[in-house]
Amino acid sequence: MRATHSGAGQQRRALGALQDGIIDFVATDHSPAPPDLKQLESGDFTTAWGGIASLQLALPVLWTAAQKRGASLPDLARWLSTNPARLIGQQGRKGQIAKGFDADLLVLAPEQTFTVTAEMLHHRHNVSPYIGQELQGVIEQTFLKGQLVYDRPNFTHLHQGEIITR
């Protein structure tokens, strides 16, 4: 119980720091290690492989928590798109919906909820601390450079991303 309370407090402080501009953006350390390296059976988190498989759920997890604190969709766009683009020096082509920018977009149903199941995960190892949780914000479609690559629930074009460097 104590760890849960501590985790909730840390989440509130992190979201407050985002809303106050102390933290500029949110990123994920997607870590899809095999379940045995996660020490699920023993529960020994001191020897477990660090990080969680969360890339697919990053936006709904953040939106579920943030909107309860009064955050808006423009806040979400700033934290997940505009500010990360600025950090890597890509603010002239990424992070905005504007003429001349890459049309990397998604269509979000912000009020729609879903319950996370192992079967819905597209990770190599379908392990996540979010299994069984109800999240808000369903991604309906994703476009990379204007091309539809995901149309719920199907990927329409695989391997379309690119490595972005400074």
Side-chain angles (χ1 to χ4, degrees):
M1 188 67 115
R2 187 172 175 191
T4 302
H5 177 71
S6 174
Q10 289 174 347
Q11 184 184 62
R12 279 193 303 276
R13 286 190 297 277
L15 284 168
L18 270 170
Q19 289 176 304
D20 293 343
I22 296 167
I23 297 174
D24 295 327
F25 63 90
V26 176
T28 178
D29 175 17
H30 183 66
S31 182
D36 58 314
L37 293 181
K38 295 293 191 179
Q39 300 296 340
L40 298 174
E41 296 298 319
S42 72
D44 184 359
F45 295 115
T46 62
T47 61
W49 183 277
I52 61 173
S54 64
L55 185 61
Q56 176 183 347
L57 301 172
L59 188 152
V61 166
L62 179 59
W63 178 237
T64 298
Q67 58 87 31
K68 291 177 184 174
R69 290 185 49 95
S72 66
L73 289 173
D75 292 330
L76 204 63
R78 187 174 62 256
W79 299 333
L80 294 174
S81 189
T82 306
N83 289 351
R86 186 177 301 121
L87 174 76
I88 63 168
Q90 295 294 317
Q91 66 272 19
R93 71 170 233 195
K94 300 275 186 196
Q96 293 185 49
I97 300 173
K99 185 177 181 178
F101 280 67
D102 291 350
D104 299 335
L105 307 166
L106 64 86
V107 177
L108 179 71
E111 302 303 322
Q112 192 172 347
T113 61
F114 66 98
T115 300
V116 178
T117 65
E119 297 77 29
M120 73 186 321
L121 297 176
H122 297 286
H123 308 148
R124 174 183 278 177
H125 307 289
N126 295 348
V127 176
S128 172
Y130 302 110
I131 291 175
Q133 289 191 24
E134 183 176 75
L135 299 177
Q136 192 168 343
V138 173
I139 298 170
E140 297 288 349
Q141 294 178 314
T142 303
F143 297 83
L144 288 179
K145 293 187 177 180
Q147 180 180 27
L148 180 66
V149 295
Y150 176 75
D151 194 11
R152 189 169 71 107
N154 302 310
F155 289 92
T156 58
H157 291 88
L158 296 175
H159 312 292
Q160 299 301 307
E162 65 182 54
I163 295 175
I164 300 172
T165 61
R166 278 186 177 254

